Amino acid sequence: MTSSLSLSSAQAKVKQFPAVDIAKFFCAILVVAIHVNPLSDVNPNLSYFLQNYLARVAVPFFFVWGGVFML
C-alpha cells in the first residue's frame, strides 16, 4: 500500500512541456540540416543562410533545455 502512494506522488511531480517537445522536433531537423546541407543544389544563398544562421539555433536550444531539465 505504501509503494502505491509513493508511486502516485512521483507521478504527480512529472511535468510535461508539449511546446518544448515540438521545438525539440524542429531543432532535431535543423541539426540534420547543419550536417546535410539540403538546399545546396536549389539555392546556394538560401543554403548558406539555413546552414550558418537559422540552423545554428538548434544546438544552444538543446544545451539550455538540457540544463533546465537537470534541475
Side-chain angles (χ1 to χ4, degrees):
M1 189 92 181
T2 316
S3 63
S4 65
L5 288 175
S6 64
L7 181 64
S8 63
S9 65
Q11 289 175 344
K13 292 181 182 179
V14 175
K15 293 184 179 181
Q16 295 191 5
F17 300 97
V20 174
D21 291 336
I22 293 168
K24 286 191 310 186
F25 174 75
F26 287 114
C27 284
I29 293 171
L30 290 175
V31 168
V32 172
I34 291 172
H35 297 286
V36 174
N37 200 7
L39 299 175
S40 62
D41 293 336
V42 177
N43 187 346
N45 291 331
L46 186 60
S47 174
Y48 180 82
F49 177 75
L50 174 69
Q51 189 175 15
N52 292 319
Y53 292 103
L54 188 61
R56 298 291 176 178
V57 172
V59 175
F61 174 83
F62 284 120
F63 182 75
V64 168
W65 280 103
V68 167
F69 290 135
M70 290 287 287
L71 297 175

